[in-house]
Amino acid sequence: MADSDDSRAPDHAGFLPSIALMRAIAALIVVYDHLVGMWLQRNQVSWRPSQLADRWIFEPLHLMSHGGALAVALFFMVSGFVIVYVAQRESRRDFAIRRALRIYPPFWMSCLLFAAVYVAATAVSSAPGLRGFAVEQALAQPNPLLATLAALTLGNYLIGTPAINGVAWTLVIEVLFYIAVALLLPLLKTRPRLAIGVAFAVLALLQAIAKTNVVVFLLAVNSVHVAYMFLGSLAYLRWAGRIGTRFFVTATVVFWGLFVHGVAKIVLQAPYSLSDYGVSYAMAWLLFVAILLLDEKLRLGGFAMFFSRISYSLYLNHGGIGLIALTLLYPALGYPMSLAITFVLVVAISAAAWRWVEVPSQRLARRWTARPA
């Protein structure tokens, strides 16, 4: 997900080996969740490696969505860590411009590409596996133009209209977190403990009044995961020496409790259980802290750095395009060969999106926020 700053400074938190490694791990787990776990389950296809992974890893550990929930939680932790770091070096204007250009241009391109591929695929094939995508629901709205505009701004998650790219539910959470950090920026720079206290109070109040009306409820639903992202912020503040160990432990417990309460009372939907949610997100926190503590000992190779760089574009493009490609290829090639071709395809598309969309938009952000000499 969009958790990296556009700076190229070598001491930037986003370029810690541990942070880069966690981006790569999370991106690959999400790809596995959608192209293996979800596709096989959705199409009622059996594959021995997936069955073994479910039996010996995901089910015993209560990891939800074939590890996908753990991967998303890991992305949230990384964002919470990195964004508070970069925010303290920027003005509100610079922060807003850089985050907007980091999130939206790659997201818009993924939506355009996904919609085009979906329309083309359904025009040439009537396979049952091509039905039920998020883009289909958006295009079928009484006012598809309005639904599309809402989806492209992420406002659809606050008014209840369909998405185009199904993974965008995490992006609206990122945007809400960015807004919270921007509002808290003066306190984060000077009094980080007070900033954390204010964030907790506002998020707790939002949960308390969540059921007053639909708009507040949808805002509260998406803000539940914002509480989890602040766990990453607390990890950064402790890592940077901005807060003490006692405050870090206390605030971590309090924000974790707020997140679990929000999941149980506001977010939780069948068939997921609170234990699955809790285990997946708790293990993501433990994994994040463990890898962060090993940062100085990590030496990453080209494979990890490549997938770290393209992680956001891979996250955006793998699901819709990958599921469609698998569905079209499977009848002729079988699952293993179709999976291999699909993986290469989505990685190539994501690498191109990183090179031709992400990098230019980040350069534009630096140009717009450059300070005169």
Side-chain angles (χ1 to χ4, degrees), residues 84 88 188 192 196 232-243:
V84 170
Q88 295 179 92
L188 283 170
I196 293 298
S233 304
L234 288 166
Y236 164 72
L237 292 171
R238 181 65 195 93
W239 176 80
R242 301 289 312 282
I243 58 175

Side-chain angles (χ1 to χ4, degrees), residues 13-155:
F15 285 82
L16 291 173
S18 56
I19 297 297
L21 177 60
M22 285 185 276
R23 284 202 196 101
I25 291 172
L28 290 173
I29 294 176
V30 169
V31 171
Y32 175 88
D33 171 31
H34 289 148
L35 300 189
V36 180
M38 178 184 290
W39 190 91
L40 292 173
Q41 186 175 23
R42 181 176 177 176
N43 292 276
Q44 299 181 337
V45 174
S46 297
W47 190 44
R48 186 62 174 167
S50 174
Q51 293 173 338
L52 291 175
D54 288 342
R55 179 178 178 182
W56 296 106
I57 300 174
F58 302 124
E59 291 175 4
L61 295 178
H62 290 270
L63 294 179
M64 197 171 68
S65 303
H66 311 281
L70 179 145
V72 168
L74 198 58
F75 272 133
F76 284 150
M77 285 292 297
V78 169
S79 288
F81 186 96
V82 173
I83 292 304
V84 170
Y85 172 82
V86 301
Q88 295 179 92
R89 306 187 310 161
E90 301 170 348
S91 66
R92 278 184 175 143
R93 172 186 174 274
D94 292 352
F95 179 79
I97 291 173
R98 292 189 176 200
R99 300 292 80 70
L101 288 175
R102 182 74 175 100
I103 283 277
Y104 281 105
F107 170 59
W108 290 335
M109 180 57 66
S110 75
C111 290
L112 178 63
L113 183 60
F114 182 22
V117 170
Y118 179 80
V119 170
T122 53
V124 300
S125 174
S126 58
L130 294 178
R131 316 313 304 179
F133 281 94
V135 64
E136 179 184 36
Q137 300 173 32
L139 296 175
Q141 291 295 297
N143 189 336
L145 177 59
L146 180 61
T148 299
L149 291 175
L152 292 177
T153 61
L154 301 172

Side-chain angles (χ1 to χ4, degrees), residues 3-314:
D3 46 51
S4 173
D5 179 48
D6 25 56
S7 171
R8 291 294 182 266
D11 63 340
H12 185 274
F15 285 82
L16 291 173
S18 56
I19 297 297
L21 177 60
M22 285 185 276
R23 284 202 196 101
I25 291 172
L28 290 173
I29 294 176
V30 169
V31 171
Y32 175 88
D33 171 31
H34 289 148
L35 300 189
V36 180
M38 178 184 290
W39 190 91
L40 292 173
Q41 186 175 23
R42 181 176 177 176
N43 292 276
Q44 299 181 337
V45 174
S46 297
W47 190 44
R48 186 62 174 167
S50 174
Q51 293 173 338
L52 291 175
D54 288 342
R55 179 178 178 182
W56 296 106
I57 300 174
F58 302 124
E59 291 175 4
L61 295 178
H62 290 270
L63 294 179
M64 197 171 68
S65 303
H66 311 281
L70 179 145
V72 168
L74 198 58
F75 272 133
F76 284 150
M77 285 292 297
V78 169
S79 288
F81 186 96
V82 173
I83 292 304
V84 170
Y85 172 82
V86 301
Q88 295 179 92
R89 306 187 310 161
E90 301 170 348
S91 66
R92 278 184 175 143
R93 172 186 174 274
D94 292 352
F95 179 79
I97 291 173
R98 292 189 176 200
R99 300 292 80 70
L101 288 175
R102 182 74 175 100
I103 283 277
Y104 281 105
F107 170 59
W108 290 335
M109 180 57 66
S110 75
C111 290
L112 178 63
L113 183 60
F114 182 22
V117 170
Y118 179 80
V119 170
T122 53
V124 300
S125 174
S126 58
L130 294 178
R131 316 313 304 179
F133 281 94
V135 64
E136 179 184 36
Q137 300 173 32
L139 296 175
Q141 291 295 297
N143 189 336
L145 177 59
L146 180 61
T148 299
L149 291 175
L152 292 177
T153 61
L154 301 172
N156 60 297
Y157 292 101
L158 301 178
I159 62 175
T161 55
I164 291 177
N165 188 335
V167 302
W169 71 270
T170 61
L171 300 188
V172 70
I173 294 167
E174 293 269 351
V175 170
L176 291 174
F177 177 72
Y178 296 167
I179 293 172
V181 170
L183 293 174
L184 292 168
L185 195 51
L187 288 178
L188 283 170
K189 291 180 177 180
T190 58
R191 303 179 68 183
R193 290 189 296 179
L194 179 58
I196 293 298
V198 171
F200 175 82
V202 172
L203 291 171
L205 176 62
L206 192 56
Q207 288 193 20
I209 64 173
K211 297 182 180 180
T212 54
N213 62 63
V214 174
V215 174
V216 175
F217 178 76
L218 291 174
L219 180 61
V221 166
N222 290 291
S223 296
V224 166
H225 287 82
V226 173
Y228 186 85
M229 293 185 72
F230 271 102
L231 297 179
S233 304
L234 288 166
Y236 164 72
L237 292 171
R238 181 65 195 93
W239 176 80
R242 301 289 312 282
I243 58 175
T245 300
R246 181 179 299 177
F247 183 86
F248 167 73
V249 172
T250 302
T252 296
V253 171
V254 168
F255 271 87
W256 173 257
L258 184 63
F259 168 70
V260 171
H261 177 270
V263 168
K265 301 298 183 181
I266 302 174
V267 174
L268 196 59
Q269 301 290 333
Y272 304 126
S273 69
L274 183 57
S275 63
D276 293 335
Y277 246 106
V279 169
S280 294
Y281 278 72
M283 288 192 67
W285 184 91
L286 291 171
L287 183 62
F288 178 90
V289 172
I291 295 177
L292 184 63
L293 292 174
L294 295 173
D295 181 78
E296 294 182 356
K297 298 180 180 180
L298 292 174
R299 298 294 182 270
L300 301 187
F303 179 87
M305 291 305 299
F306 170 75
F307 280 99
S308 176
R309 281 194 297 269
I310 72 166
S311 59
Y312 181 42
S313 285
L314 184 60

